[in-house]
């Protein structure tokens, strides 16, 4: 079953937005957050924890817990639950300690 088809009307009600997760082309709907789009595509593991390398994913879904960090267009430490998907966006898992002081992050 296509998760983007309305269960009652039987058709899609929002425009499709292609994006990439770890290099794989996926589809989101206009207005979805990155986290919601990944969940709709069956992806629950967004990365691993810094110290113990344990799986991390969506937890609070409102920008409070920092459990959903991903890299977006090579910018580390982005909250996927608070970021809307954009066409062609490149999202990558947060695997390890992000380089928050790196040149690409504003320093
Ligand atoms: S899930 Fe808690 S900040 Fe995103």
């Amino acid at each position: 079953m296509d998760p983007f088809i309305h269960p009652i009307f039987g058709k899609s009600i929002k425009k499709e937005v292609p994006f990439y997760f770890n290099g794989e082309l996926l589809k989101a709907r206009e207005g979805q957050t990155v986290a919601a789009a990944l969940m709709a595509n069956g992806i629950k593991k967004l990365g691993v924890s810094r110290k113990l390398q344990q799986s991390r994913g969506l937890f609070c879904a409102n920008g409070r817990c920092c459990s959903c960090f991903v890299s977006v267009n090579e910018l580390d430490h982005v909250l996927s639950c608070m970021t809307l998907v954009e066409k062609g966006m490149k999202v990558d898992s947060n695997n390890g300690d992000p380089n928050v002081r790196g040149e690409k992050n504003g320093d």
Side-chain angles (χ1 to χ4, degrees):
M1 184 175 133
D2 186 340
F4 300 116
I5 301 295
H6 193 282
I8 295 172
F9 300 127
K11 60 182 181 180
S12 175
I13 53 173
K14 291 205 174 182
K15 212 165 86 178
E16 210 169 78
V17 180
F19 74 106
Y20 296 90
F21 181 66
N22 291 338
E24 182 184 354
L25 181 62
L26 301 176
K27 294 174 192 167
R29 292 291 160 182
E30 199 172 44
Q32 270 188 319
T33 63
V34 171
L38 291 172
M39 296 297 127
N41 281 282
I43 295 166
K44 296 176 182 165
K45 181 178 175 180
L46 304 179
V48 294
S49 63
R50 186 167 55 169
K51 279 190 178 175
L52 301 176
Q53 301 292 299
Q54 293 177 324
S55 296
R56 302 298 297 264
L58 197 62
F59 185 68
C60 72
N62 64 11
R64 302 248 174 184
C65 73
C66 302
S67 180
C68 66
F69 280 142
V70 290
S71 296
V72 173
N73 295 334
E74 299 186 17
L75 181 66
D76 293 328
H77 251 172
V78 176
L79 292 175
S80 62
C81 69
M82 302 302 289
T83 306
L84 296 181
V85 173
E86 293 174 7
K87 185 178 178 183
M89 182 181 259
K90 290 180 177 42
V91 180
D92 291 294
S93 294
N94 185 27
N95 292 324
D97 198 2
N99 182 11
V100 294
R101 296 190 188 279
E103 188 176 305
K104 63 187 175 188
N105 292 321
D107 283 346

